[in-house]
Amino acid sequence: MTYSLAGRCARTGMMGGVITTSSPAVGSRCLFARAGVGVVLTQNLTDPRLGPRGLMLMEDGCTPAEAIAALVASTPHHGIRQLAALGRDGSSAHFSGAGITSILGAAQGPNSVAVGNILKNDQVPAAMVAAFEAEPGAPLPERLLAALDAGTAAGGEIRELVSAALMVVDRESFPYVDLRADSDPDPAAALRRMWGEYAPLADMYVDRALGKV
């Protein structure tokens, strides 16, 4: 019941993800990222433990494909899971369990991977990747939000959306941006509005943490 994308900026090395769904609090359960390591998406009857586990595997040297394979092997319930991983070099992998009965899809780009389930059509992830890869020079949060908008325009989910999240990591142990819209009639629009308010302050907040101001 979710569509999402993980992406990397080749220019800055920033990585992050964007996600929306018809369930509450998607940002706390389905989107995980770590600076210098990668991004993991875990959805469709999600197991939030798989996100940190996938990041740990990649931090230990696994490729995204190896990390996804290990995650699938680690859970007896992989048939109901949908997973994606993006590495710090832009490589990616994804998995959709055979027990997922809804319309689903997945797509990959040079620096991105998108997955979705309970979709109106299976082209939603491809539309997200195309939008993300279209403007490689734009700021990563903007590219992620463009991907989310493209997924919605391509059909999105069959149920009413109620939550969305945007996360970007850079060089520090804390996220460059971590925004969540919950219990909102238009969570994607709320997320874009929140980013518009946060964007002028994002660098300052990092500087404050590092004692530069």
Side-chain angles (χ1 to χ4, degrees), residues 6 15-16 32-41 50-71 83-94 113 169:
M15 297 176 289
F32 303 86
R34 187 175 301 165
V37 177
V39 184
V40 176
L41 302 165
L50 300 180
R53 191 180 301 166
L55 291 174
M56 183 172 61
L57 287 164
M58 288 195 290
E59 189 169 31
D60 288 342
C62 288
T63 66
E66 291 167 342
I68 290 293
L71 291 178
L83 304 165
L86 178 82
R88 61 187 177 187
D89 63 350
S91 62
S92 64
H94 59 82
V113 58
V169 294

Side-chain angles (χ1 to χ4, degrees), residues 5-9 13-19 31-34 38-41 86 111-113 132 140-141 144 165-170 177:
L5 178 140
R8 169 183 175 268
C9 175
M14 286 184 173
M15 297 176 289
V18 68
I19 189 167
L31 171 57
F32 303 86
R34 187 175 301 165
V39 184
V40 176
L41 302 165
L86 178 82
N111 286 286
S112 60
V113 58
F132 177 83
L140 183 60
L144 293 169
L166 169 71
M167 180 185 290
V168 171
V169 294
D170 191 9
V177 57

Side-chain angles (χ1 to χ4, degrees), residues 1-3 43-44 79-82 94-107 114-126 156 158:
M1 61 185 95
T2 308
Y3 50 104
Q43 55 198 50
N44 191 74
I80 56 173
R81 312 299 186 200
Q82 188 175 50
H94 59 82
F95 169 82
S96 296
I100 302 174
T101 58
S102 64
I103 294 176
L104 55 85
V115 287
N117 59 84
I118 311 188
L119 302 173
K120 288 186 179 178
N121 64 77
D122 63 4
Q123 293 305 301
V124 170
I158 63 174

